[in-house]
Amino acid sequence: MDASPGTAGSTPGTRDSDSFYRDGGAGAIMRAAHFPDELLSFLQMEGLAVLDMASRHGCDSLIELGCYDGRALEVARAAGIRYLGVDVSSSAINSLNRRIADECLQDRASAVLGNILHSHEWASAVSSERPLQLLPFNLVGNFAEPEKVVAGLRELGGMGVISVFNEEPWTTAVRRAYYTACGIDILEEAPGPYGGVLFRGDGGFQSQSFSKYGMSALLDAAGVSVVHETTNRLGRCVTVRFT
């Protein structure tokens, strides 16, 4: 899965997903020791897609939403652009800001505590005219209403890269093994509203994947236009224009 969301809606009978990621679930999910080998190609595709789009569209900053430990900071550094990480986990933000200070990157990178669904609360930290907003590692699949997440980012404008898992059975198997390795007790596995597979687990965990047609429906509902798409065996990275 799935980077720490900004908040993700609630599931009957469990804590809400916001609490799951804010209060420690993100640490389990983002721990590299839990990543199956199969996920490496997905992460590589994402990083290369972001680097390519930043260069191709002349972006002057990278905003990583649900940043956790700031994996995309290295992409921004390679692209020579500013970096901003946003996450609901205060421990993640504190750790990332220490890393930024340790590497003397304060003049080009920062991290702020923020909820993706309330961009007005942290938009002032975006000091650029041509931002590239990144929804990494199936982040949008953590939200009960992902179309609202994407539509809300239109306020900041610029470009966006949205990385999602596909609905293929081998991808579902990788996800299932991954969540289990993270210590999540899977309570439900069912067809998702966007053509993929929805997992729900203890503590408020939820994550869904997307078919090609489901992703198109999501972006249409959010009112954004597709500029480019890169795919591999596990998923896709879709570049959109928010303006």
Side-chain angles (χ1 to χ4, degrees), residues 141-170:
N142 296 345
F143 291 81
E145 298 178 292
E147 69 281 356
K148 291 186 178 180
V149 178
V150 179
L153 299 179
R154 293 168 58 189
E155 297 180 15
L156 290 176
M159 309 294 295
V161 172
I162 305 172
S163 171
V164 297
F165 287 130
N166 63 30
E167 80 286 14
E168 298 292 350
W170 50 81

Side-chain angles (χ1 to χ4, degrees), residues 109-167:
S110 59
V112 297
L113 192 67
N115 186 317
I116 293 173
L117 289 174
H118 303 296
S119 61
H120 62 279
E121 296 176 355
W122 47 267
S124 60
V126 180
S127 57
S128 64
E129 297 180 355
R130 300 182 304 279
L132 175 60
Q133 302 183 65
L134 170 61
L135 288 165
F137 205 22
N138 203 56
L139 170 64
V140 73
N142 296 345
F143 291 81
E145 298 178 292
E147 69 281 356
K148 291 186 178 180
V149 178
V150 179
L153 299 179
R154 293 168 58 189
E155 297 180 15
L156 290 176
M159 309 294 295
V161 172
I162 305 172
S163 171
V164 297
F165 287 130
N166 63 30
E167 80 286 14

Side-chain angles (χ1 to χ4, degrees), residues 174-229:
V174 169
R175 294 172 63 211
R176 186 185 303 113
Y178 173 42
Y179 304 150
T180 300
C182 292
I184 296 170
D185 183 15
I186 300 298
L187 304 177
E188 180 184 7
E189 180 179 335
Y194 287 95
V197 177
L198 171 66
F199 285 90
R200 286 196 175 103
D202 57 346
F205 169 78
Q206 65 177 35
S207 175
Q208 65 175 305
S209 59
F210 301 82
S211 69
K212 178 177 178 61
Y213 299 106
M215 193 63 185
S216 295
L218 165 63
L219 298 177
D220 287 344
V224 298
S225 57
V226 176
V227 175
H228 186 75
E229 178 174 301

Side-chain angles (χ1 to χ4, degrees), residues 58-77:
C59 299
D60 56 4
S61 70
L62 175 60
I63 304 167
E64 184 179 19
L65 301 161
C67 63
Y68 192 62
D69 59 356
R71 186 177 62 248
L73 174 57
E74 296 304 324
V75 179
R77 180 155 33 184

